[in-house]
Amino acid sequence: FPSHDRKAKEFAKEAHAGQKRWSGADYYEDHLLAVYEITKGILKEKSEYLEHYTYWFDIEEDEILVASLLHDVIEDTPITYEDIEKEFGSKVATIVNILTRPRDEEYAEYIFSIVEDKGPCNFPAAMIKLADLIHNSSNFPVDKRNNKYSKYLLSKRIIENYLKDFS
């Protein structure tokens, strides 16, 4: 990890301490690091467009990678938007907030809110959400594939189509 990610790594690891995946694996080690690596790959794939995007919207690749490590912190821990803003800045906090599904919101509404809003942080949020969905759907237990799994696959397709517009 570059040094700027070390702080986010420790922050996420501490925030998710004791949390497990459905497989029983450590949440941080299994999921958050995987989402970070997948996001790096997506950033590399979108690098030509991303140069213009980061210039116009003043969002650095590093901020996107930090947000990928923190993407579930508000939703799954007592950490708040304000905590993230204080530690990592408003852009990272905004990206993480976009990725936080309100408890009373339907999953489809949540996915569409990411791709329909044209705010400067939505494109990076969509990249991270795609990485999250890629990881979640790739290790979903075969014997437990159900409506949730189908939602992941459909959501992946929606976000992939959104990101194609930026190729």
Side-chain angles (χ1 to χ4, degrees):
F1 285 99
S3 62
H4 52 272
D5 291 349
R6 288 184 211 279
K7 183 177 176 183
K9 179 183 174 189
E10 291 305 314
F11 190 91
K13 191 174 193 172
E14 187 176 312
H16 290 282
Q19 291 181 358
K20 302 287 183 198
R21 297 283 286 166
W22 52 66
S23 65
D26 178 75
Y27 193 82
Y28 172 79
E29 295 290 333
D30 181 65
H31 184 62
L32 298 179
L33 293 179
V35 170
Y36 173 89
E37 290 300 325
I38 295 167
T39 302
K40 272 175 50 175
I42 294 169
L43 287 167
K44 193 176 213 177
E45 183 183 307
K46 300 279 182 197
S47 63
E48 184 179 316
Y49 174 78
L50 197 62
E51 287 177 31
H52 303 291
Y53 186 87
T54 56
Y55 173 79
W56 286 107
F57 291 108
D58 193 31
I59 295 174
E60 298 297 323
E61 188 173 316
D62 299 343
E63 292 170 306
I64 298 168
L65 290 171
V66 166
S68 74
L69 288 166
L70 304 175
H71 76 274
D72 281 334
V73 167
I74 296 174
E75 191 169 322
D76 295 344
T77 77
I79 303 295
T80 65
Y81 173 92
E82 291 76 17
D83 297 330
I84 295 172
E85 184 178 40
K86 181 180 173 189
E87 292 295 323
F88 302 101
S90 63
K91 291 175 205 155
V92 170
T94 299
I95 295 168
V96 174
N97 200 48
I98 290 167
L99 293 166
T100 302
R101 181 176 148 212
R103 300 248 182 256
D104 62 343
E105 188 172 60
E106 290 294 324
Y107 195 78
E109 288 177 57
Y110 159 68
I111 293 298
F112 282 114
S113 73
I114 294 171
V115 299
E116 289 178 346
D117 189 348
K118 302 300 182 208
C121 292
N122 283 72
F123 179 72
M127 286 189 288
I128 295 166
K129 189 62 192 174
L130 179 60
D132 181 43
L133 291 164
I134 288 169
H135 186 252
N136 281 340
S137 62
S138 70
N139 67 15
F140 206 93
V142 175
D143 63 330
K144 295 190 190 245
R145 291 189 177 175
N146 54 21
N147 288 344
K148 189 173 189 174
Y149 179 73
S150 297
K151 280 192 240 182
Y152 287 162
L153 296 181
L154 180 59
S155 299
K156 241 172 67 174
R157 184 169 295 152
I158 291 165
I159 292 177
E160 285 168 340
N161 286 335
Y162 168 77
L163 292 173
K164 277 183 190 171
D165 291 342
F166 297 99
S167 297

